[in-house]
Amino acid sequence: MFSMLLGIFLVLVILLLLYFAFKVLLVKGIFKAWVRGTLALSSLILVLFILLYSFDFLSYSSYQNEQKVADVAIHAMGDQHFQVGLTVSGHTVSFDVYGDMWQLDARLIVWNDLLSGLGLDTLYRLDRLSGRYESTEDEYSKPRSVYALSSSLDVGDLWQVVTDYPWLPGIQGRYGNGTFVPMVEGAKYSIYLKQGGLRAKPENNKARSAVQRF
């Protein structure tokens, strides 16, 4: 009996509060002001998200199939220790890489056939440079080398969104993995972006000999 009375009392209180809330909102245009304020705040939040994702979008470059995207030069620094010079658009950055092989990875944003037909090119962004040892024992016991070549904010990472939500129409996020390539003193490689990911092409005899032995 007490529970029923308590339930009725709570329902009456809720209805009374709703009555006063709507009465206040409807008096003197308060409801209209609330709607306008809500729309204005929502618009500002939407603009912020658009700016964040647009900024991230502009960090990608367009490419055609089998386009050269980078050059790599290898210099030995010690035993299983190399300096890898990565040249992109004429700008070179060097990295200390431990191991016997190196790998370059990229993020890809791919459009469907309709949007591609309208002129939208696949987008790419170099994502990571890493080293690897040929021996499994060395891989677990010796220093590892992984370098991020780009970054996105937690909010505004376009590639992460289209990867997490593959049902989004017209757009897909893919990871363009490169194969591991041997590191030897003086080797030079050209990096090409193809449908399956990144591919390294030996550009001198030292690189060609290393790839053949590998």
Side-chain angles (χ1 to χ4, degrees):
M1 186 65 178
F2 176 76
S3 298
M4 183 182 296
L5 292 175
L6 180 60
I8 294 172
F9 174 75
L10 291 175
V11 170
L12 291 174
V13 170
I14 291 171
L15 291 174
L16 187 62
L17 291 174
L18 287 173
Y19 169 76
F20 280 111
F22 280 105
K23 186 176 180 180
V24 170
L25 286 173
L26 294 173
V27 169
K28 295 182 181 180
I30 294 179
F31 180 73
K32 289 183 179 179
W34 175 77
V35 171
R36 290 174 181 172
T38 301
L39 290 175
L41 181 60
S42 300
S43 298
L44 288 174
I45 294 174
L46 181 60
V47 167
L48 178 60
F49 272 87
I50 290 174
L51 287 175
L52 288 173
Y53 284 104
S54 297
F55 178 78
D56 191 67
F57 180 83
L58 292 174
S59 68
Y60 288 79
S61 301
S62 61
Y63 93 100
Q64 302 295 328
N65 193 31
E66 299 190 15
Q67 174 184 337
K68 181 179 176 180
V69 298
D71 292 293
V72 169
I74 310 295
H75 298 287
M77 304 293 288
D79 184 30
Q80 294 180 308
H81 180 198
F82 296 86
Q83 184 182 74
V84 177
L86 178 65
T87 301
V88 180
S89 301
H91 179 65
T92 301
V93 180
S94 297
F95 303 89
D96 282 342
V97 179
Y98 291 89
D100 303 299
M101 299 166 282
W102 63 272
Q103 177 177 287
L104 193 63
D105 302 312
R107 289 184 172 194
L108 305 178
I109 294 178
V110 183
W111 311 99
N112 65 8
D113 292 339
L114 176 61
L115 294 178
S116 296
L118 293 175
L120 293 180
D121 294 326
T122 297
L123 303 175
Y124 78 93
R125 189 175 75 186
L126 297 180
D127 186 59
R128 184 175 63 180
L129 174 70
S130 58
R132 183 178 179 181
Y133 295 92
E134 189 171 2
S135 164
T136 303
E137 182 179 348
D138 288 345
E139 187 71 13
Y140 283 101
S141 61
K142 293 187 176 182
R144 300 289 303 277
S145 305
V146 180
Y147 295 97
L149 302 178
S150 59
S151 61
S152 297
L153 298 173
D154 292 336
V155 178
D157 190 338
L158 178 62
W159 182 87
Q160 194 63 55
V161 170
V162 297
T163 302
D164 291 343
Y165 303 100
W167 48 264
L168 290 173
I171 186 170
Q172 290 183 349
R174 299 177 184 172
Y175 204 71
N177 295 96
T179 56
F180 279 101
V181 185
M183 292 188 290
V184 295
E185 166 61 30
K188 294 183 178 181
Y189 300 91
S190 293
I191 313 303
Y192 290 86
L193 188 56
K194 300 184 179 182
Q195 288 290 349
L198 296 171
R199 297 291 181 269
K201 177 185 176 182
E203 291 294 352
N204 61 7
N205 290 331
K206 290 185 178 180
R208 283 188 283 270
S209 297
V211 170
Q212 289 173 357
R213 290 197 304 270
F214 179 75

